[in-house]
Amino acid sequence: MWLEDEPTVVDRAEGPWLYDTDGRKYLDGVSSLWVTTFGHRTPEIDAAIIAQLGKLDHSTFLGATHTPGIELAEKLLALTPGLDKVFYAGDGSSAVEAGLKIAYQYSVQSGQPRPLFVHLSEAYHGDTLGAVSVGGMKLFHATYRPLLLKTATVGSPGLRAPGQTPVERAAEVIKELEAVMAAQGDQVCAIVLEPMVQAAAGMLTYDASFLKAARGLATRYGALLMVDEVATGIARTGPMWAHQHAGITPDLLTCGKGITAGYLPLSAVLATDEVYSAFLGAPEKTFFHGHTYTANPLACAAANANLTLAVERDLPGQVAVLGVRLADLLKPVGDRDGVVEIRQLGAMIGVEVASVRHRTGFEVCRAARRRGVWLRPLGDTVILMPPLTLGEAEQNLMVEALAEAIDEVVR
């Protein structure tokens, strides 16, 4: 059916705007798949990449290093108290793959091989086989189940029954997780979670009590807690990292997407010194994993400039204001008969619409596009995840276009 859709050919971009080859412009309401931080062609990031290009385009990070990679590791760790080491990867999926391998090898080298991973239903961690193993979305993952790692699944704390509170739902899933760990905890090398928001499942938000309980259970049974912050990191939910809502420290953290503000692909796994120390000593303890473009200097330069701006401009503070204002703007939208639910944490928003025809969510997004706003559906949930410094006039336009599109398609 996608072959019947006419693609938009994007020609250029500026700030929060995309321009196609026919001269039409669109507000980038999904940050070009959740990556743009300050908008397109941010002058400081442009300048950082150009300056780096004048020095070094690429050098292997295997057996060598370079200044942008060193500086970026220092910046990431300064923003992530409790984590001590950085391993670079290429994109979100490759960071998850590396994290899973680190978790298993850690268990082996700690004296007790643990081949089992615990994850949530409705989870999404990427499309490579390890990442799919800890995913829980049947549409994306069912075909590949015979090929995957050993896992145990508990329910999504973000899927609530009518009238059920987030705290009540979290308590239910905590009991499920307690039962899994009591039965198989000595086989679990890691509990793998998207902290606070299951993004690809339609922005399913959940209570921080679940994340706190997962931290406690991982510690009790000697497993690692791995949080996947590829989508939620770099202030998308408000704090720099979503796990900070719960006041916990993970053993492993994966990040990507917004780390370079959308300029270039780059991801990383952050780990504690305790995890790192298990890989020291005999040569066979080495983590034999690497990518040709690991820590590409141009990507690191973009990330360094992006994180510098995030600190200088108090990005978490800006997102807090943005989130409150968008919530206020969306209140009338949520009262419409055609809207099932609005789920939001910070600048991550999912507007679930009633399914009244084939591909309702897609049709709402297409109607918004005719009004100059680019949105993207996940099933019948319309995703809003704009650049994190979006101005008030553009915020108004985004929500007005969404409201009109819902009225056109759903009513």
Side-chain angles (χ1 to χ4, degrees):
M1 59 186 173
W2 293 107
L3 294 176
E4 300 170 3
D5 299 328
E6 183 177 350
T8 298
V9 182
V10 178
D11 181 57
R12 61 188 181 89
E14 183 77 30
W17 300 100
L18 299 170
Y19 298 82
D20 70 15
T21 51
D22 294 318
R24 293 182 293 257
K25 76 173 185 176
Y26 310 89
L27 182 67
D28 188 356
V30 292
S31 298
S32 289
L33 206 56
W34 316 351
V35 296
T36 303
T37 306
F38 299 98
H40 298 276
R41 296 177 59 197
T42 302
E44 293 86 347
I45 302 176
D46 287 359
I49 294 172
I50 292 168
Q52 182 58 45
L53 188 58
K55 296 179 181 178
L56 174 66
D57 54 350
H58 182 64
S59 170
T60 181
F61 220 58
L62 305 177
T65 187
H66 50 66
T67 300
I70 295 168
E71 291 179 350
L72 179 55
E74 292 172 345
K75 288 180 185 294
L76 285 169
L77 296 177
L79 294 171
T80 319
L83 296 175
D84 309 290
K85 294 292 186 290
V86 175
F87 182 88
Y88 290 115
D91 58 17
S93 290
S94 63
V96 171
E97 293 288 324
L100 297 175
K101 289 176 65 178
I102 289 169
Y104 177 68
Q105 189 171 342
Y106 170 81
S107 76
V108 172
Q109 294 174 184
S110 297
Q112 185 181 4
R114 296 173 173 228
L116 188 65
F117 295 87
V118 176
H119 66 94
L120 301 179
S121 66
E122 307 305 317
Y124 179 81
H125 297 283
D127 293 326
T128 50
L129 286 177
V132 168
S133 296
V134 291
M137 300 181 68
K138 291 182 180 179
L139 178 64
F140 294 163
H141 304 146
T143 301
Y144 309 103
R145 282 292 161 206
L147 304 177
L148 305 182
L149 303 173
K150 292 176 61 177
T151 66
T153 308
V154 298
S156 165
L159 279 180
R160 300 188 297 275
Q164 188 177 40
T165 68
V167 173
E168 290 169 342
R169 178 55 180 161
E172 286 184 348
V173 185
I174 289 168
K175 289 181 180 178
E176 288 184 43
L177 183 58
E178 287 173 340
V180 168
M181 297 302 287
Q184 304 179 81
D186 63 347
Q187 292 297 301
V188 175
C189 66
I191 300 172
V192 183
L193 304 171
E194 298 157 276
M196 303 302 294
V197 185
Q198 292 184 279
M203 299 301 168
L204 298 180
T205 61
Y206 62 83
D207 190 75
S209 59
F210 177 76
L211 197 52
K212 293 177 183 178
R215 170 69 281 175
L217 287 165
T219 301
R220 185 191 310 172
Y221 288 94
L224 301 182
L225 179 66
M226 175 171 155
V227 296
D228 181 359
E229 297 252 18
V230 170
T232 57
I234 318 300
R236 286 284 165 187
T237 70
M240 190 59 68
W241 307 106
H243 73 267
Q244 292 171 334
H245 286 281
I248 59 105
T249 299
D251 302 293
L252 295 168
L253 178 151
T254 60
C255 57
K257 284 193 180 292
I259 190 174
T260 68
Y263 275 73
L264 290 162
L266 180 70
S267 63
V269 183
L270 278 57
T272 62
D273 268 331
E274 180 181 350
V275 171
Y276 172 75
S277 64
F279 293 81
L280 301 178
E284 58 269 23
K285 287 189 172 183
T286 301
F287 183 53
F288 291 104
H289 186 99
H291 299 273
T292 301
Y293 290 99
T294 290
N296 170 261
L298 300 177
C300 289
N304 280 322
N306 180 44
L307 295 183
T308 295
L309 291 176
V311 172
E312 290 178 351
R313 299 180 183 180
D314 184 20
L315 191 60
Q318 291 199 53
V319 174
V321 173
L322 174 65
V324 169
R325 190 169 191 276
L326 287 175
D328 287 342
L329 290 174
L330 286 164
K331 284 178 182 176
V333 177
D335 293 335
R336 283 166 159 75
D337 291 337
V339 175
V340 176
E341 184 179 35
I342 296 179
R343 298 180 288 270
Q344 177 182 5
L345 187 61
M348 300 181 72
I349 302 167
V351 180
E352 185 178 347
V353 297
S355 182
V356 299
R357 64 178 71 174
H358 182 55
R359 300 171 74 194
T360 302
F362 173 81
E363 292 298 334
V364 169
C365 291
R366 186 148 64 177
R369 197 179 312 164
R370 290 194 291 269
R371 292 166 171 83
V373 174
W374 188 279
L375 302 175
R376 185 174 184 270
L378 288 167
D380 287 332
T381 298
V382 178
I383 301 304
L384 284 69
M385 200 188 289
L388 298 178
T389 55
L390 192 69
E392 291 189 358
E394 289 79 13
Q395 295 170 37
N396 295 343
L397 171 63
M398 181 174 67
V399 175
E400 288 167 5
L402 171 65
E404 292 176 6
I406 291 171
D407 288 345
E408 175 185 328
V409 174
V410 181
R411 282 188 176 179

